[in-house]
Amino acid sequence: MKYLLLLLAVLGIIVSSLALREHYREYGDSPCSINEHWDCGVVNHSHYAMLGPIPVAAVGIAGYILMGILAFLCSFRHSEGSPSRSI
């Protein structure tokens, strides 16, 4: 489970980084523009892609980094042989 969380955190960082890149893209066709109904570039350039002055993708990157750090620390602590608490 701990490695699954680390893997998901890395994948989330990659996807959020691509979304942030798309947010700041000003030229060329969007790589996620499939057709006129499916285009993530429209959303990434809209006001819905911002939380105040911060892009949502940047918040996602920070969240996935935090998730990866916590998963790593939790796996490191449990691998040292410390007993796990069960509630």
Side-chain angles (χ1 to χ4, degrees):
M1 184 68 169
K2 57 189 170 186
Y3 297 113
L4 178 63
L5 285 176
L6 286 171
L7 176 66
L8 289 175
V10 169
L11 291 175
I13 291 168
I14 291 169
V15 170
S16 295
S17 298
L18 291 173
L20 188 63
R21 183 178 143 240
E22 180 61 30
H23 177 78
Y24 287 114
R25 177 188 290 268
E26 295 182 3
Y27 59 88
D29 291 336
S30 173
C32 58
S33 176
I34 298 172
N35 59 32
E36 63 186 41
H37 298 291
W38 297 95
D39 186 2
C40 70
V42 173
V43 175
N44 275 320
H45 291 102
S46 73
H47 66 278
Y48 295 110
M50 300 289 287
L51 287 173
I54 303 170
V56 171
V59 174
I61 292 170
Y64 285 118
I65 289 172
L66 178 64
M67 185 176 91
I69 289 170
L70 292 175
F72 177 76
L73 291 176
C74 184
S75 69
F76 181 71
R77 188 177 77 181
H78 288 292
S79 67
E80 288 181 347
S82 63
S84 63
R85 291 183 179 176
S86 60
I87 297 175

